[in-house]
Amino acid sequence: MNKITQDKIYNKAKEWILEAGKTIRTKINDPIEIGSKSNPNDLVTSMDKNTEKYFLEKIKTTFPEHLLIGEEGFGDDVKTLDGTVWIIDPIDGTMNFVQQKRNFAISVAIYYNGVGEIGLIYNVMEDELYSAKRGEGAYKNDLKLSRLAQPAILEESVIGLNHLWLCENRLVNEKIMQELVKTARGSRTYGSAALEFAFVAEGVLEGYLTMGLSPWDFAAGMILVHEVGGVTTNIAGEPIKMLERNSVFTGHPDIHQRILNDFLIKAKK
Ligand code: 2AM
Ligand code: CA
């Protein structure tokens, strides 16, 4: 994608994500319809659906040839990443949105022929926009993110992971995961994959591990992390399949390598 096209799409995506976030903030205390999807704790609300429809309408009017993959299914039935494809999670961290009215994000990624060109993650209630264009680094609002340029060691790092990793589960040996938590300086669970990716790009989390994410949860975050020199793979260290559900491990390159070698490879069931 050439620079002029990249800038044109970026400017629109930024305008729309800020506008969508403003609408959510305005309506944050209105009554909402809450339903569930794959399991009783996998929530969806009228706000998720309306926000996705807002992006669909804007994209199809402004860029009729672009395709959309959206969590709530209003977009296109996309089978390949040929052409320009938007991958959107209208609300990432829906449980936080419902229960806490904070700690959720809108995630927007734009891929061109399979290459991540633009990543935007908007922490709606904090009014903090994480953004990246391919080849130009990543920003939190106007601040360029650069903490991943410094070396990192696990003993002084904070790692994001869901507490279910530490309970009996089918993917990893929980005892080894408990050792990881004890070895790191601290662990955190924020409940929004997009925000956890943004925090890795910012350098306030040195790593984030999760068992199962869909393209809309990781598409923008991977671009942000890549732009600051971070690494994203599945928990076996293999490349992410962009159109499938994957386990995901993203982080500072030093921490990614250490956790993979010293913990994840041994923990695999
Ligand atoms: P969501 O809020 O957009 O559904 C919660 O730990 C994180 O995992 C959120 O980013 C959530 O995204 C994501 N997630 C992915 N699949 C999920 C599922 N089946 N149930 C709940 N959260 C899921
Ligand atoms: Ca969502």
Side-chain angles (χ1 to χ4, degrees):
M1 179 178 284
N2 69 48
K3 175 98 190 86
I4 293 167
T5 309
Q6 190 193 44
D7 281 343
K8 187 175 158 200
I9 300 172
Y10 173 87
N11 289 336
K12 285 294 174 196
K14 182 176 169 184
E15 179 190 325
W16 298 338
I17 204 171
L18 293 176
E19 181 69 30
K22 195 171 162 195
T23 302
I24 296 173
R25 281 197 301 276
T26 311
K27 298 185 174 177
I28 195 76
N29 290 314
D30 291 1
I32 42 165
E33 284 167 43
I34 305 167
S36 62
K37 295 186 287 187
S38 63
N39 67 66
N41 299 325
D42 182 9
L43 304 178
V44 61
T45 73
S46 41
M47 194 74 88
D48 299 66
K49 294 178 185 169
N50 291 342
T51 304
E52 185 165 311
K53 285 184 198 161
Y54 166 83
F55 278 101
L56 179 70
E57 201 267 321
K58 291 289 187 193
I59 294 164
K60 293 292 173 185
T61 312
T62 314
F63 304 111
E65 72 285 10
H66 292 188
L67 296 174
L68 166 65
I69 303 172
E71 172 163 22
E72 308 315 333
F74 298 110
D76 301 290
D77 184 16
V78 173
K79 297 273 192 291
T80 75
L81 282 181
D82 294 344
T84 306
V85 182
W86 295 59
I87 307 179
I88 294 184
D89 192 339
I91 297 186
D92 183 69
T94 303
M95 192 188 292
N96 292 349
F97 169 71
V98 169
Q99 309 255 148
Q100 307 179 322
K101 299 189 191 297
R102 68 180 108 124
N103 300 328
F104 61 89
I106 305 172
S107 176
V108 173
I110 295 141
Y111 282 72
Y112 179 64
N113 290 340
V115 177
E117 290 284 342
I118 296 163
L120 296 167
I121 294 176
Y122 189 36
N123 186 344
V124 172
M125 300 313 285
E126 298 292 330
D127 187 23
E128 287 171 342
L129 179 66
Y130 294 86
S131 66
K133 287 186 237 175
R134 185 171 66 84
E136 296 188 14
Y139 292 79
K140 177 186 179 183
N141 292 335
D142 294 329
L143 180 77
K144 187 155 192 180
L145 302 176
S146 60
R147 269 179 65 173
L148 274 75
Q150 306 300 321
I153 59 168
L154 184 58
E155 288 74 6
E156 295 174 4
S157 294
V158 182
I159 305 302
L161 83 180
N162 187 299
H163 300 126
L164 293 172
W165 284 92
L166 310 176
C167 309
E168 205 178 336
N169 69 77
R170 68 185 167 80
L171 276 185
V172 285
N173 177 311
E174 57 278 3
K175 291 274 178 278
I176 293 177
M177 300 314 289
Q178 290 165 15
E179 283 308 314
L180 167 62
V181 167
K182 284 191 258 177
T183 305
R185 176 169 277 170
S187 60
R188 298 287 183 271
T189 299
Y190 292 97
S192 159
L195 281 183
E196 301 190 82
F197 265 98
F199 297 159
V200 168
E202 188 180 355
V204 298
L205 277 183
E206 277 74 17
Y208 168 58
L209 300 123
T210 178
M211 294 192 201
L213 291 184
S214 298
W216 41 83
D217 299 311
F218 58 71
M222 279 181 69
I223 299 172
L224 279 160
V225 167
H226 179 75
E227 277 302 316
V228 295
V231 181
T232 306
T233 62
N234 68 14
I235 61 166
E238 299 157 347
I240 297 289
K241 296 189 173 113
M242 285 308 304
L243 293 173
E244 294 177 20
R245 226 175 139 76
N246 296 256
S247 65
V248 173
F249 173 30
T250 188
H252 185 293
D254 300 349
I255 300 304
H256 188 275
Q257 193 179 27
R258 168 90 188 274
I259 293 181
L260 200 58
N261 292 341
D262 288 2
F263 299 90
L264 288 177
I265 287 172
K266 295 176 194 159
K268 192 166 185 284
K269 278 186 176 164

PDB file of all heavy atoms in Angstrom, residues 137-168:
ATOM      1  N   GLY A 137       6.383   3.207  13.296  1.00  0.00           N
ATOM      2  CA  GLY A 137       6.354   3.124  14.756  1.00  0.00           C
ATOM      3  C   GLY A 137       4.944   3.195  15.297  1.00  0.00           C
ATOM      4  O   GLY A 137       3.973   3.202  14.534  1.00  0.00           O
ATOM      5  N   ALA A 138       4.849   3.248  16.621  1.00  0.00           N
ATOM      6  CA  ALA A 138       3.524   3.260  17.262  1.00  0.00           C
ATOM      7  C   ALA A 138       3.459   4.394  18.273  1.00  0.00           C
ATOM      8  O   ALA A 138       4.486   4.830  18.818  1.00  0.00           O
ATOM      9  CB  ALA A 138       3.269   1.921  17.954  1.00  0.00           C
ATOM     10  N   TYR A 139       2.258   4.850  18.525  1.00  0.00           N
ATOM     11  CA  TYR A 139       2.021   6.001  19.386  1.00  0.00           C
ATOM     12  C   TYR A 139       0.915   5.722  20.384  1.00  0.00           C
ATOM     13  O   TYR A 139       0.003   4.936  20.120  1.00  0.00           O
ATOM     14  CB  TYR A 139       1.592   7.219  18.532  1.00  0.00           C
ATOM     15  CG  TYR A 139       2.698   7.741  17.654  1.00  0.00           C
ATOM     16  CD1 TYR A 139       3.019   7.106  16.460  1.00  0.00           C
ATOM     17  CD2 TYR A 139       3.438   8.860  18.034  1.00  0.00           C
ATOM     18  CE1 TYR A 139       4.049   7.579  15.657  1.00  0.00           C
ATOM     19  CE2 TYR A 139       4.474   9.340  17.243  1.00  0.00           C
ATOM     20  CZ  TYR A 139       4.777   8.697  16.055  1.00  0.00           C
ATOM     21  OH  TYR A 139       5.801   9.163  15.270  1.00  0.00           O
ATOM     22  N   LYS A 140       1.001   6.395  21.548  1.00  0.00           N
ATOM     23  CA  LYS A 140      -0.148   6.491  22.454  1.00  0.00           C
ATOM     24  C   LYS A 140      -0.531   7.966  22.430  1.00  0.00           C
ATOM     25  O   LYS A 140       0.266   8.814  22.869  1.00  0.00           O
ATOM     26  CB  LYS A 140       0.266   6.054  23.859  1.00  0.00           C
ATOM     27  CG  LYS A 140      -0.837   6.193  24.890  1.00  0.00           C
ATOM     28  CD  LYS A 140      -0.258   5.871  26.256  1.00  0.00           C
ATOM     29  CE  LYS A 140      -1.294   6.011  27.338  1.00  0.00           C
ATOM     30  NZ  LYS A 140      -0.669   5.754  28.665  1.00  0.00           N
ATOM     31  N   ASN A 141      -1.673   8.286  21.914  1.00  0.00           N
ATOM     32  CA  ASN A 141      -2.013   9.671  21.560  1.00  0.00           C
ATOM     33  C   ASN A 141      -0.837  10.253  20.758  1.00  0.00           C
ATOM     34  O   ASN A 141      -0.489   9.690  19.739  1.00  0.00           O
ATOM     35  CB  ASN A 141      -2.385  10.480  22.800  1.00  0.00           C
ATOM     36  CG  ASN A 141      -3.718   9.976  23.400  1.00  0.00           C
ATOM     37  OD1 ASN A 141      -4.550   9.408  22.698  1.00  0.00           O
ATOM     38  ND2 ASN A 141      -3.906  10.154  24.688  1.00  0.00           N
ATOM     39  N   ASP A 142      -0.184  11.325  21.213  1.00  0.00           N
ATOM     40  CA  ASP A 142       0.909  11.907  20.413  1.00  0.00           C
ATOM     41  C   ASP A 142       2.290  11.417  20.832  1.00  0.00           C
ATOM     42  O   ASP A 142       3.297  11.863  20.282  1.00  0.00           O
ATOM     43  CB  ASP A 142       0.879  13.440  20.533  1.00  0.00           C
ATOM     44  CG  ASP A 142      -0.385  13.998  19.903  1.00  0.00           C
ATOM     45  OD1 ASP A 142      -0.890  13.391  18.928  1.00  0.00           O
ATOM     46  OD2 ASP A 142      -0.877  15.023  20.406  1.00  0.00           O
ATOM     47  N   LEU A 143       2.345  10.521  21.802  1.00  0.00           N
ATOM     48  CA  LEU A 143       3.627  10.077  22.349  1.00  0.00           C
ATOM     49  C   LEU A 143       4.146   8.853  21.598  1.00  0.00           C
ATOM     50  O   LEU A 143       3.463   7.820  21.536  1.00  0.00           O
ATOM     51  CB  LEU A 143       3.421   9.721  23.830  1.00  0.00           C
ATOM     52  CG  LEU A 143       4.644   9.240  24.580  1.00  0.00           C
ATOM     53  CD1 LEU A 143       5.542  10.420  24.930  1.00  0.00           C
ATOM     54  CD2 LEU A 143       4.224   8.501  25.852  1.00  0.00           C
ATOM     55  N   LYS A 144       5.343   8.955  21.042  1.00  0.00           N
ATOM     56  CA  LYS A 144       5.919   7.800  20.334  1.00  0.00           C
ATOM     57  C   LYS A 144       6.368   6.752  21.347  1.00  0.00           C
ATOM     58  O   LYS A 144       7.002   7.072  22.351  1.00  0.00           O
ATOM     59  CB  LYS A 144       7.101   8.239  19.464  1.00  0.00           C
ATOM     60  CG  LYS A 144       7.604   7.111  18.601  1.00  0.00           C
ATOM     61  CD  LYS A 144       8.322   7.557  17.350  1.00  0.00           C
ATOM     62  CE  LYS A 144       8.513   6.342  16.437  1.00  0.00           C
ATOM     63  NZ  LYS A 144       9.182   6.630  15.198  1.00  0.00           N
ATOM     64  N   LEU A 145       6.035   5.494  21.115  1.00  0.00           N
ATOM     65  CA  LEU A 145       6.344   4.421  22.064  1.00  0.00           C
ATOM     66  C   LEU A 145       7.721   3.842  21.750  1.00  0.00           C
ATOM     67  O   LEU A 145       7.981   3.461  20.609  1.00  0.00           O
ATOM     68  CB  LEU A 145       5.269   3.332  21.998  1.00  0.00           C
ATOM     69  CG  LEU A 145       3.847   3.834  22.285  1.00  0.00           C
ATOM     70  CD1 LEU A 145       2.834   2.708  22.103  1.00  0.00           C
ATOM     71  CD2 LEU A 145       3.735   4.430  23.683  1.00  0.00           C
ATOM     72  N   SER A 146       8.586   3.764  22.770  1.00  0.00           N
ATOM     73  CA  SER A 146       9.961   3.334  22.508  1.00  0.00           C
ATOM     74  C   SER A 146      10.547   2.436  23.596  1.00  0.00           C
ATOM     75  O   SER A 146      11.721   2.091  23.548  1.00  0.00           O
ATOM     76  CB  SER A 146      10.858   4.563  22.342  1.00  0.00           C
ATOM     77  OG  SER A 146      10.824   5.341  23.520  1.00  0.00           O
ATOM     78  N   ARG A 147       9.747   2.029  24.568  1.00  0.00           N
ATOM     79  CA  ARG A 147      10.327   1.280  25.691  1.00  0.00           C
ATOM     80  C   ARG A 147      10.866  -0.088  25.311  1.00  0.00           C
ATOM     81  O   ARG A 147      11.754  -0.607  25.972  1.00  0.00           O
ATOM     82  CB  ARG A 147       9.320   1.138  26.845  1.00  0.00           C
ATOM     83  CG  ARG A 147       9.472   2.301  27.829  1.00  0.00           C
ATOM     84  CD  ARG A 147       8.518   2.251  28.973  1.00  0.00           C
ATOM     85  NE  ARG A 147       8.692   1.122  29.885  1.00  0.00           N
ATOM     86  CZ  ARG A 147       8.009   1.023  31.024  1.00  0.00           C
ATOM     87  NH1 ARG A 147       7.146   1.959  31.363  1.00  0.00           N
ATOM     88  NH2 ARG A 147       8.191  -0.018  31.810  1.00  0.00           N
ATOM     89  N   LEU A 148      10.369  -0.675  24.227  1.00  0.00           N
ATOM     90  CA  LEU A 148      10.854  -2.004  23.854  1.00  0.00           C
ATOM     91  C   LEU A 148      12.265  -1.972  23.274  1.00  0.00           C
ATOM     92  O   LEU A 148      12.866  -3.026  23.052  1.00  0.00           O
ATOM     93  CB  LEU A 148       9.891  -2.704  22.896  1.00  0.00           C
ATOM     94  CG  LEU A 148       8.765  -3.465  23.615  1.00  0.00           C
ATOM     95  CD1 LEU A 148       7.718  -2.521  24.149  1.00  0.00           C
ATOM     96  CD2 LEU A 148       8.158  -4.520  22.721  1.00  0.00           C
ATOM     97  N   ALA A 149      12.809  -0.773  23.047  1.00  0.00           N
ATOM     98  CA  ALA A 149      14.185  -0.678  22.565  1.00  0.00           C
ATOM     99  C   ALA A 149      15.174  -1.043  23.679  1.00  0.00           C
ATOM    100  O   ALA A 149      16.329  -1.375  23.406  1.00  0.00           O
ATOM    101  CB  ALA A 149      14.458   0.735  22.049  1.00  0.00           C
ATOM    102  N   GLN A 150      14.748  -0.987  24.937  1.00  0.00           N
ATOM    103  CA  GLN A 150      15.623  -1.342  26.065  1.00  0.00           C
ATOM    104  C   GLN A 150      15.550  -2.852  26.314  1.00  0.00           C
ATOM    105  O   GLN A 150      14.493  -3.450  26.160  1.00  0.00           O
ATOM    106  CB  GLN A 150      15.149  -0.635  27.349  1.00  0.00           C
ATOM    107  CG  GLN A 150      15.016   0.872  27.225  1.00  0.00           C
ATOM    108  CD  GLN A 150      16.339   1.530  26.860  1.00  0.00           C
ATOM    109  OE1 GLN A 150      17.389   1.126  27.354  1.00  0.00           O
ATOM    110  NE2 GLN A 150      16.288   2.500  25.959  1.00  0.00           N
ATOM    111  N   PRO A 151      16.674  -3.468  26.751  1.00  0.00           N
ATOM    112  CA  PRO A 151      16.606  -4.890  27.105  1.00  0.00           C
ATOM    113  C   PRO A 151      15.673  -5.127  28.294  1.00  0.00           C
ATOM    114  O   PRO A 151      15.411  -4.193  29.060  1.00  0.00           O
ATOM    115  CB  PRO A 151      18.047  -5.245  27.481  1.00  0.00           C
ATOM    116  CG  PRO A 151      18.862  -4.016  27.332  1.00  0.00           C
ATOM    117  CD  PRO A 151      17.991  -2.875  26.969  1.00  0.00           C
ATOM    118  N   ALA A 152      15.174  -6.365  28.420  1.00  0.00           N
ATOM    119  CA  ALA A 152      14.267  -6.661  29.539  1.00  0.00           C
ATOM    120  C   ALA A 152      14.616  -8.012  30.133  1.00  0.00           C
ATOM    121  O   ALA A 152      15.076  -8.908  29.422  1.00  0.00           O
ATOM    122  CB  ALA A 152      12.828  -6.673  29.045  1.00  0.00           C
ATOM    123  N   ILE A 153      14.403  -8.150  31.445  1.00  0.00           N
ATOM    124  CA  ILE A 153      14.579  -9.466  32.075  1.00  0.00           C
ATOM    125  C   ILE A 153      13.293  -9.846  32.808  1.00  0.00           C
ATOM    126  O   ILE A 153      12.584  -8.988  33.342  1.00  0.00           O
ATOM    127  CB  ILE A 153      15.800  -9.545  33.023  1.00  0.00           C
ATOM    128  CG1 ILE A 153      15.705  -8.530  34.159  1.00  0.00           C
ATOM    129  CG2 ILE A 153      17.095  -9.400  32.264  1.00  0.00           C
ATOM    130  CD1 ILE A 153      16.725  -8.794  35.254  1.00  0.00           C
ATOM    131  N   LEU A 154      13.017 -11.139  32.783  1.00  0.00           N
ATOM    132  CA  LEU A 154      11.740 -11.642  33.305  1.00  0.00           C
ATOM    133  C   LEU A 154      11.541 -11.293  34.783  1.00  0.00           C
ATOM    134  O   LEU A 154      10.434 -10.952  35.203  1.00  0.00           O
ATOM    135  CB  LEU A 154      11.677 -13.164  33.092  1.00  0.00           C
ATOM    136  CG  LEU A 154      10.367 -13.847  33.486  1.00  0.00           C
ATOM    137  CD1 LEU A 154       9.177 -13.255  32.719  1.00  0.00           C
ATOM    138  CD2 LEU A 154      10.474 -15.345  33.229  1.00  0.00           C
ATOM    139  N   GLU A 155      12.618 -11.354  35.555  1.00  0.00           N
ATOM    140  CA  GLU A 155      12.518 -11.116  36.999  1.00  0.00           C
ATOM    141  C   GLU A 155      12.086  -9.681  37.316  1.00  0.00           C
ATOM    142  O   GLU A 155      11.675  -9.378  38.433  1.00  0.00           O
ATOM    143  CB  GLU A 155      13.863 -11.440  37.681  1.00  0.00           C
ATOM    144  CG  GLU A 155      14.186 -12.930  37.760  1.00  0.00           C
ATOM    145  CD  GLU A 155      14.619 -13.568  36.427  1.00  0.00           C
ATOM    146  OE1 GLU A 155      14.781 -12.842  35.421  1.00  0.00           O
ATOM    147  OE2 GLU A 155      14.783 -14.806  36.401  1.00  0.00           O
ATOM    148  N   GLU A 156      12.187  -8.791  36.324  1.00  0.00           N
ATOM    149  CA  GLU A 156      11.753  -7.397  36.540  1.00  0.00           C
ATOM    150  C   GLU A 156      10.584  -7.047  35.621  1.00  0.00           C
ATOM    151  O   GLU A 156      10.341  -5.875  35.337  1.00  0.00           O
ATOM    152  CB  GLU A 156      12.937  -6.453  36.287  1.00  0.00           C
ATOM    153  CG  GLU A 156      14.051  -6.653  37.306  1.00  0.00           C
ATOM    154  CD  GLU A 156      15.303  -5.827  36.991  1.00  0.00           C
ATOM    155  OE1 GLU A 156      15.286  -5.037  36.033  1.00  0.00           O
ATOM    156  OE2 GLU A 156      16.296  -6.014  37.730  1.00  0.00           O
ATOM    157  N   SER A 157       9.866  -8.065  35.159  1.00  0.00           N
ATOM    158  CA  SER A 157       8.796  -7.842  34.185  1.00  0.00           C
ATOM    159  C   SER A 157       7.417  -8.123  34.766  1.00  0.00           C
ATOM    160  O   SER A 157       7.278  -8.901  35.707  1.00  0.00           O
ATOM    161  CB  SER A 157       8.990  -8.760  32.971  1.00  0.00           C
ATOM    162  OG  SER A 157      10.148  -8.405  32.272  1.00  0.00           O
ATOM    163  N   VAL A 158       6.432  -7.486  34.162  1.00  0.00           N
ATOM    164  CA  VAL A 158       5.031  -7.754  34.504  1.00  0.00           C
ATOM    165  C   VAL A 158       4.384  -8.435  33.288  1.00  0.00           C
ATOM    166  O   VAL A 158       4.504  -7.962  32.160  1.00  0.00           O
ATOM    167  CB  VAL A 158       4.288  -6.451  34.859  1.00  0.00           C
ATOM    168  CG1 VAL A 158       2.847  -6.756  35.253  1.00  0.00           C
ATOM    169  CG2 VAL A 158       5.001  -5.713  35.988  1.00  0.00           C
ATOM    170  N   ILE A 159       3.733  -9.562  33.545  1.00  0.00           N
ATOM    171  CA  ILE A 159       3.179 -10.398  32.479  1.00  0.00           C
ATOM    172  C   ILE A 159       1.651 -10.410  32.580  1.00  0.00           C
ATOM    173  O   ILE A 159       1.114 -10.580  33.673  1.00  0.00           O
ATOM    174  CB  ILE A 159       3.708 -11.858  32.620  1.00  0.00           C
ATOM    175  CG1 ILE A 159       5.245 -11.883  32.645  1.00  0.00           C
ATOM    176  CG2 ILE A 159       3.155 -12.770  31.524  1.00  0.00           C
ATOM    177  CD1 ILE A 159       5.901 -11.287  31.430  1.00  0.00           C
ATOM    178  N   GLY A 160       0.993 -10.252  31.451  1.00  0.00           N
ATOM    179  CA  GLY A 160      -0.468 -10.344  31.414  1.00  0.00           C
ATOM    180  C   GLY A 160      -0.890 -11.763  31.095  1.00  0.00           C
ATOM    181  O   GLY A 160      -0.398 -12.348  30.128  1.00  0.00           O
ATOM    182  N   LEU A 161      -1.756 -12.324  31.905  1.00  0.00           N
ATOM    183  CA  LEU A 161      -2.328 -13.633  31.573  1.00  0.00           C
ATOM    184  C   LEU A 161      -3.601 -13.862  32.371  1.00  0.00           C
ATOM    185  O   LEU A 161      -3.793 -13.255  33.423  1.00  0.00           O
ATOM    186  CB  LEU A 161      -1.325 -14.786  31.753  1.00  0.00           C
ATOM    187  CG  LEU A 161      -1.069 -15.443  33.095  1.00  0.00           C
ATOM    188  CD1 LEU A 161      -0.033 -16.523  32.931  1.00  0.00           C
ATOM    189  CD2 LEU A 161      -0.633 -14.485  34.156  1.00  0.00           C
ATOM    190  N   ASN A 162      -4.464 -14.689  31.825  1.00  0.00           N
ATOM    191  CA  ASN A 162      -5.715 -15.006  32.489  1.00  0.00           C
ATOM    192  C   ASN A 162      -5.442 -16.014  33.602  1.00  0.00           C
ATOM    193  O   ASN A 162      -4.635 -16.933  33.428  1.00  0.00           O
ATOM    194  CB  ASN A 162      -6.670 -15.606  31.442  1.00  0.00           C
ATOM    195  CG  ASN A 162      -8.047 -15.805  31.982  1.00  0.00           C
ATOM    196  OD1 ASN A 162      -8.245 -16.548  32.928  1.00  0.00           O
ATOM    197  ND2 ASN A 162      -9.003 -15.132  31.385  1.00  0.00           N
ATOM    198  N   HIS A 163      -6.107 -15.866  34.732  1.00  0.00           N
ATOM    199  CA  HIS A 163      -5.840 -16.762  35.863  1.00  0.00           C
ATOM    200  C   HIS A 163      -6.175 -18.224  35.559  1.00  0.00           C
ATOM    201  O   HIS A 163      -5.698 -19.122  36.247  1.00  0.00           O
ATOM    202  CB  HIS A 163      -6.606 -16.277  37.101  1.00  0.00           C
ATOM    203  CG  HIS A 163      -6.209 -14.888  37.489  1.00  0.00           C
ATOM    204  ND1 HIS A 163      -7.103 -13.859  37.660  1.00  0.00           N
ATOM    205  CD2 HIS A 163      -4.995 -14.346  37.688  1.00  0.00           C
ATOM    206  CE1 HIS A 163      -6.447 -12.762  37.962  1.00  0.00           C
ATOM    207  NE2 HIS A 163      -5.178 -13.021  37.981  1.00  0.00           N
ATOM    208  N   LEU A 164      -6.971 -18.465  34.521  1.00  0.00           N
ATOM    209  CA  LEU A 164      -7.306 -19.852  34.164  1.00  0.00           C
ATOM    210  C   LEU A 164      -6.068 -20.655  33.741  1.00  0.00           C
ATOM    211  O   LEU A 164      -6.067 -21.878  33.798  1.00  0.00           O
ATOM    212  CB  LEU A 164      -8.351 -19.888  33.045  1.00  0.00           C
ATOM    213  CG  LEU A 164      -9.734 -19.350  33.445  1.00  0.00           C
ATOM    214  CD1 LEU A 164     -10.635 -19.255  32.229  1.00  0.00           C
ATOM    215  CD2 LEU A 164     -10.357 -20.243  34.508  1.00  0.00           C
ATOM    216  N   TRP A 165      -5.000 -19.937  33.332  1.00  0.00           N
ATOM    217  CA  TRP A 165      -3.745 -20.619  33.004  1.00  0.00           C
ATOM    218  C   TRP A 165      -3.211 -21.369  34.231  1.00  0.00           C
ATOM    219  O   TRP A 165      -2.445 -22.314  34.113  1.00  0.00           O
ATOM    220  CB  TRP A 165      -2.660 -19.602  32.636  1.00  0.00           C
ATOM    221  CG  TRP A 165      -2.780 -19.001  31.297  1.00  0.00           C
ATOM    222  CD1 TRP A 165      -3.433 -17.849  30.992  1.00  0.00           C
ATOM    223  CD2 TRP A 165      -2.204 -19.467  30.071  1.00  0.00           C
ATOM    224  NE1 TRP A 165      -3.299 -17.569  29.651  1.00  0.00           N
ATOM    225  CE2 TRP A 165      -2.556 -18.545  29.069  1.00  0.00           C
ATOM    226  CE3 TRP A 165      -1.424 -20.568  29.726  1.00  0.00           C
ATOM    227  CZ2 TRP A 165      -2.154 -18.691  27.744  1.00  0.00           C
ATOM    228  CZ3 TRP A 165      -1.031 -20.712  28.403  1.00  0.00           C
ATOM    229  CH2 TRP A 165      -1.402 -19.780  27.431  1.00  0.00           C
ATOM    230  N   LEU A 166      -3.552 -20.876  35.399  1.00  0.00           N
ATOM    231  CA  LEU A 166      -2.972 -21.402  36.633  1.00  0.00           C
ATOM    232  C   LEU A 166      -3.834 -22.506  37.231  1.00  0.00           C
ATOM    233  O   LEU A 166      -3.452 -23.157  38.192  1.00  0.00           O
ATOM    234  CB  LEU A 166      -2.783 -20.266  37.645  1.00  0.00           C
ATOM    235  CG  LEU A 166      -2.061 -19.044  37.058  1.00  0.00           C
ATOM    236  CD1 LEU A 166      -2.002 -17.927  38.064  1.00  0.00           C
ATOM    237  CD2 LEU A 166      -0.659 -19.427  36.582  1.00  0.00           C
ATOM    238  N   CYS A 167      -5.023 -22.698  36.661  1.00  0.00           N
ATOM    239  CA  CYS A 167      -5.908 -23.799  37.085  1.00  0.00           C
ATOM    240  C   CYS A 167      -5.655 -24.974  36.131  1.00  0.00           C
ATOM    241  O   CYS A 167      -5.020 -24.817  35.096  1.00  0.00           O
ATOM    242  CB  CYS A 167      -7.372 -23.395  36.964  1.00  0.00           C
ATOM    243  SG  CYS A 167      -7.774 -21.838  37.748  1.00  0.00           S
ATOM    244  N   GLU A 168      -6.212 -26.108  36.479  1.00  0.00           N
ATOM    245  CA  GLU A 168      -6.084 -27.257  35.583  1.00  0.00           C
ATOM    246  C   GLU A 168      -6.703 -26.905  34.234  1.00  0.00           C
ATOM    247  O   GLU A 168      -7.797 -26.350  34.188  1.00  0.00           O
ATOM    248  CB  GLU A 168      -6.819 -28.446  36.206  1.00  0.00           C
ATOM    249  CG  GLU A 168      -6.269 -29.749  35.731  1.00  0.00           C
ATOM    250  CD  GLU A 168      -6.954 -30.926  36.392  1.00  0.00           C
ATOM    251  OE1 GLU A 168      -7.503 -30.752  37.497  1.00  0.00           O
ATOM    252  OE2 GLU A 168      -6.963 -31.990  35.783  1.00  0.00           O
TER     253      GLU A 168
END
